[in-house]
Amino acid sequence: MYEFRLIGYPIKHSLSPWIHKTFLQGTGLEGNYTLHEIKEFEKEIIELKKEAIHGFNITVPYKEKIIPYLDEIDPAAKVIGAVNTVHVVDGKWIGYNTDGSGYVRALQDSYKQLNDLSGKQIVLLGAGGAAKGIYAAFAQENPEKITIANRTVEKAEAIIQMHGDREVDQAVSIHHVKPLLETADIIVQTSSVGMKPHAEEVIVPLPRLKRSAVVSDIVYQPIETAFLKQALEQGIAIHHGHTMLLYQAQYAFEIWTGKKPTVGKMTHELKEILEG
Ligand code: ATR
């Protein structure tokens, strides 16, 4: 009987219990996935160490705070500096970050032609926590070039330097990104700009894009953001951010159980839940 948790605050409206319970059913495994809202992090995380659990997810605002409490950390999560999944093995806590890798898997599952990223030019807009994970996951797949465009260029530079092994990548000001958008194969909006109740906002206006481009937005409330609508108006392929939720969970579930659950029709079900 597996015991999984979600740690964070506030998390009452989290969809993770629904996702993981569906995964448990789909894989024929028995277990629970429960919400564990904690306010006093230091005190309550030490209490959690005493409990017989198999793994947990950790979300805002504790993805960085958890790191000193881990016994081991996956190298990729260490570079990103944030952990969203902990696997408990013989009482030891091992930390991973499945957000970025989940995002890239979600994109590739929707667009099979992106399974091979060689020769692809990628532009990430924004340089916050989400961009760090997504950059790391893309970098592992050897695309031709990744550009990070941000209002504060130094933050974009810091992400690229943190990895330090891809000299082709570049940081630019969001105000100078237009020519790069025109030739990009993949454009990913990684900030919270455009999220309800500011659904009319876009991080940057989109110029005329390459016909084969794919435009993606990690914001999923609303599902069809103003940013994505700009691409749709040009007839350009889009990718909805909500699928990232399912695939980061799929990665976590695999780490905990060794089984890869099917996402399949959950993409559509999740869309309906989010749209109320
Ligand atoms: P996080 O992912 O760390 O939680 P966020 O609030 O979603 O953070 O912000 C991520 C990115 O969105 C940041 O790179 C931020 O730009 P700065 O680094 O210059 O602050 C960018 N961002 C937020 N609001 C923006 C806006 N109105 N216009 C342009 N960029 C914005």
Side-chain angles (χ1 to χ4, degrees), residues 126-130 150-152 155 191-193 203:
N150 198 41
R151 195 170 53 181
T152 316
K155 276 202 214 166
S191 81
S192 52
V193 177
I203 191 162

Side-chain angles (χ1 to χ4, degrees), residues 137-273:
F138 272 133
Q140 277 189 349
E141 307 234 349
N142 300 315
E144 187 170 302
K145 187 188 190 93
I146 309 173
T147 300
I148 308 181
N150 198 41
R151 195 170 53 181
T152 316
V153 186
E154 293 76 14
K155 276 202 214 166
E157 270 163 7
I159 294 177
I160 294 169
Q161 278 167 12
M162 210 157 59
H163 290 263
D165 56 353
R166 284 186 47 93
E167 290 188 358
V168 286
D169 295 344
Q170 63 175 353
V172 299
S173 159
I174 196 114
H175 305 297
H176 300 137
V177 73
K178 186 172 174 241
L180 292 154
L181 292 172
E182 287 166 347
T183 56
D185 299 294
I186 303 171
I187 298 167
V188 186
Q189 197 301 105
T190 74
S191 81
S192 52
V193 177
M195 193 186 288
K196 276 182 193 166
H198 305 289
E200 73 292 344
E201 290 179 9
V202 293
I203 191 162
V204 73
L206 286 179
R208 185 138 290 278
L209 305 175
K210 225 166 131 170
R211 299 304 307 153
S212 58
V214 176
V215 175
S216 176
D217 195 336
I218 69 158
V219 170
Y220 54 84
Q221 278 175 326
I223 295 264
E224 211 123 288
T225 59
F227 183 75
L228 290 178
K229 281 181 185 155
Q230 299 181 92
L232 283 175
E233 280 161 15
Q234 296 185 36
I236 300 290
I238 61 161
H239 174 249
H240 294 120
H242 71 288
T243 56
M244 178 181 180
L245 286 180
L246 299 171
Y247 287 84
Q248 62 77 23
Q250 187 194 50
Y251 258 116
F253 194 90
E254 258 181 281
I255 290 169
W256 295 330
T257 69
K259 291 206 174 181
K260 184 176 175 181
T262 313
V263 168
K265 62 181 174 35
M266 290 173 76
T267 302
H268 183 69
E269 288 167 4
L270 179 60
K271 186 165 181 267
E272 292 200 330
I273 293 171

Side-chain angles (χ1 to χ4, degrees), residues 62 88 94-95 101 106 132 153 197 199:
Y62 305 130
V88 183
I94 309 169
S101 44
K132 272 189 206 165
V153 186

Side-chain angles (χ1 to χ4, degrees), residues 90-107:
D90 299 329
K92 285 202 165 131
W93 283 10
I94 309 169
Y96 298 85
N97 192 313
T98 71
D99 286 330
S101 44
Y103 169 79
V104 172
R105 193 186 263 188
L107 181 71

Side-chain angles (χ1 to χ4, degrees), residues 4 8 10 18 63 66 77 80 108 110 115 124 162 259 268:
F4 304 128
W18 171 72
K63 287 187 187 184
I66 187 69
I80 295 164
Q108 290 176 326
S110 298
N115 276 312
L124 306 185
M162 210 157 59
K259 291 206 174 181
H268 183 69

